[in-house]
């Protein structure tokens, strides 16, 4: 059967969206294009990671006290580079860097947006050929245009995001991004070197069959989470279980699967780490924005992720995200209703 579908590239798609908004300046499209360009460079390196001596430790620790792999450094430099030289971004925050970086030059000071990103999430999986990803978040500045960006631009609650997205470097490379108009996914067509629209208007199924959690931490979870997770494993009227357990340890891959197929991803707090592992600004807010725009939900177990007022760029939060009905069931356990 002949496939008669018009191929639309990322650029064509964002330009088409701009046409619907004659007052738009094109800065956001330009920023998304910059992110796509950096992602293509990272894709090339990720794909030859097994061939060249780019694997291994860069010999430094990141601000979280974790080992930095060389590809993390490479990816970080690509994203910082495109945004610094682009026309839309006044500054960045990166999971790899201690502090925000303000691009204090004439063009950047006039730019409307700041961008926060985790350049290579799931990097402990690089050595073993498991999917990894990039996660990013875009905010409109609250500081005065014409002057350098300030810390307040970066410390906005997630509900102020104008766009958020992720790239997944997996069996194919994809870029998925959300704006208030919805969520769309683009797959890298390597024959032309372009991201092309492959998943238009993504909707997260209301429920699903997957639950994703690190079971190794089970005995450290709070009681309500233990009960919900146990409910996922057995025939249970309240949770709708049993569900299939899928956990790669690469959040981009885990949440991507659950976004497309339906499911719930959890990284709860533990006795040792009450705020869990994941970073609010670099990992949780962008995914919360994307999944909510697709019809799902995201909370820290008690409140909506997007309503949390951040106090510092590297703060962590417990994280629960996924299909609406599964999240409602979890919520019932957290509030004691589903006991
Ligand atoms: P990393 O980028 O240092 O690998 O950490 C982030 C990753 C997430 O992608 C993933 O969901 C989580 O850490 C897995 O953590 P754990 O191994 O504790 O389950």
């Amino acid at each position: 059967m002949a496939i008669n579908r018009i191929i639309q590239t990322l650029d064509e798609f964002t330009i088409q969206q701009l046409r619907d908004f004659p007052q738009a300046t094109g800065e956001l499209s330009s920023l998304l294009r910059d992110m796509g360009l950096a992602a293509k460079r990272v894709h090339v390196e990720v794909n030859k990671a097994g061939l060249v001596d780019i694997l291994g430790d860069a010999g430094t620790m990141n601000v979280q006290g974790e080992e930095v792999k060389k590809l993390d450094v490479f990816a970080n430099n690509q994203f910082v580079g495109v945004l610094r030289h682009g026309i839309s971004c006044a500054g960045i925050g990166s999971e790899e860097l201690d502090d925000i970086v303000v691009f204090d030059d004439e063009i950047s000071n006039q730019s409307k947006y700041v961008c926060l990103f985790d350049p290579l999430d799931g990097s402990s999986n690089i050595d073993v050929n498991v999917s990894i990803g990039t996660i990013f978040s875009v905010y409109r500045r609250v500081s005065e245009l014409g002057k350098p960006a300030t810390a307040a631009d970066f410390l906005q609650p997630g509900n102020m995001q104008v766009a958020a997205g992720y790239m997944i470097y997996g069996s194919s490379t994809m870029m998925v991004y959300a704006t208030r108009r919805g969520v769309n996914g683009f797959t890298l067509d390597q024959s032309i070197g372009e991201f092309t629209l492959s998943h238009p208007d993504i909707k997260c199924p209301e429920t699903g069959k997957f639950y994703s959690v690190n079971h190794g931490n089970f005995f450290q979870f709070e009681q309500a989470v233990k009960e919900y997770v146990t409910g996922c494993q057995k025939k249970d009227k309240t949770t709708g279980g049993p569900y299939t357990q899928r956990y790669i340890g690469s959040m981009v891959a885990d949440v991507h699967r659950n976004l497309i197929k339906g499911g719930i991803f959890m990284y709860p707090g533990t006795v040792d780490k009450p705020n869990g592992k994941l970073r609010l600004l670099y990992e949780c807010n962008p995914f919360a924005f994307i999944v909510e725009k697709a019809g799902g939900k995201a909370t820290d177990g008690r409140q909506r992720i997007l309503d949390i007022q951040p106090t510092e760029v590297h703060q962590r939060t417990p994280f629960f995200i996924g299909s609406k009905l599964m999240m409602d069931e979890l919520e019932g356990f957290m509030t004691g209703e589903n006991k």
Side-chain angles (χ1 to χ4, degrees):
M1 196 179 78
I3 296 172
N4 186 15
R5 196 161 129 192
I6 297 163
I7 305 272
Q8 202 172 23
T9 67
L10 174 66
D11 283 1
E12 288 168 336
F13 181 83
T14 53
I15 288 166
Q16 192 200 32
Q17 301 247 305
L18 262 183
R19 287 207 191 106
D20 300 340
F21 282 100
Q23 72 281 18
T25 59
E27 273 189 62
L28 185 60
S29 311
S30 158
L31 190 149
L32 292 167
R33 189 168 55 235
D34 292 343
M35 294 304 280
L37 172 62
K40 284 190 242 177
R41 292 178 179 152
V42 174
H43 156 89
V44 171
E45 291 306 304
V46 167
N47 272 274
K48 61 185 190 199
L51 295 174
V52 294
D53 184 28
I54 199 154
L55 283 179
D57 308 337
T60 50
M61 307 285 265
N62 73 9
V63 287
Q64 315 291 331
E66 298 155 336
E67 230 170 45
V68 174
K69 306 278 181 183
K70 283 181 187 168
L71 260 179
D72 297 35
V73 178
F74 176 84
N76 186 57
N77 292 343
Q78 298 313 309
F79 288 103
V80 176
V82 289
L83 294 171
R84 185 189 289 279
H85 296 118
I87 53 153
S88 332
C89 189
I92 60 102
S94 165
E95 198 238 320
E96 287 300 325
L97 304 174
D98 291 359
D99 292 319
I100 56 170
V101 178
V102 171
F103 304 145
D104 186 4
D105 59 72
E106 219 173 296
I107 294 176
S108 303
N109 289 347
Q110 290 297 341
S111 300
K112 271 204 288 227
Y113 300 108
V114 295
C115 189
L116 288 138
F117 52 83
D118 180 352
L120 213 57
D121 182 71
S123 50
S124 52
N125 286 316
I126 296 168
D127 298 7
V128 287
N129 227 335
V130 166
S131 301
I132 47 182
T134 298
I135 312 167
F136 67 93
S137 191
V138 183
Y139 292 82
R140 188 168 287 116
R141 290 173 62 177
V142 289
S143 58
E144 198 181 325
L145 275 187
K147 297 200 169 144
T150 65
D153 297 324
F154 297 86
L155 293 175
Q156 300 186 56
N159 57 35
M160 299 301 286
Q161 288 172 99
V162 293
Y166 62 89
M167 289 71 160
I168 178 163
Y169 311 103
S171 40
S172 56
T173 290
M174 273 190 82
M175 173 166 170
V176 175
Y177 80 83
T179 61
R180 66 192 163 92
R181 304 178 71 186
V183 188
N184 290 282
F186 302 81
T187 301
L188 183 61
D189 179 344
Q190 296 193 52
S191 63
I192 55 169
E194 293 282 0
F195 282 104
T196 54
L197 184 63
S198 54
H199 295 61
D201 198 19
I202 295 173
K203 297 285 179 225
C204 181
E206 274 215 319
T207 189
K209 56 176 193 247
F210 298 113
Y211 78 103
S212 311
V213 70
N214 183 341
H215 267 283
N217 293 335
F218 182 85
F219 290 104
Q220 290 209 53
F221 295 155
E222 66 178 287
Q223 190 57 23
V225 176
K226 281 184 188 159
E227 281 168 18
Y228 176 73
V229 171
T230 306
C232 289
Q233 294 172 296
K234 56 185 191 191
K235 203 164 175 48
D236 186 303
K237 272 209 304 290
T238 325
T239 60
Y243 296 123
T244 296
Q245 148 78 350
R246 288 277 183 277
Y247 188 75
I248 302 177
S250 197
M251 182 185 173
V252 177
D254 280 317
V255 179
H256 177 68
R257 180 196 49 245
N258 294 354
L259 170 67
I260 304 291
K261 302 223 180 218
I264 186 166
F265 172 94
M266 298 169 264
Y267 206 109
T270 59
V271 175
D272 293 344
K273 294 179 182 159
N275 289 326
K277 174 181 182 186
L278 303 175
R279 293 84 171 165
L280 175 65
L281 296 190
Y282 301 114
E283 293 165 314
C284 304
N285 269 341
F287 270 120
F289 183 82
I290 297 162
V291 168
E292 280 202 8
K293 288 288 172 238
K297 286 175 95 172
T299 72
D300 68 355
R302 308 245 147 18
Q303 68 166 324
R304 187 176 172 232
I305 285 290
L306 296 180
D307 290 340
I308 299 174
Q309 173 61 55
T311 50
E312 55 121 354
V313 284
H314 287 289
Q315 85 191 58
R316 297 173 195 256
T317 177
F319 193 44
F320 302 86
I321 185 166
S323 292
K324 184 180 171 302
L325 296 180
M326 295 172 88
M327 286 294 296
D328 289 344
E329 287 146 10
L330 168 80
E331 211 171 283
F333 278 82
M334 302 306 270
T335 56
E337 263 169 56
N338 282 350
K339 268 201 167 283

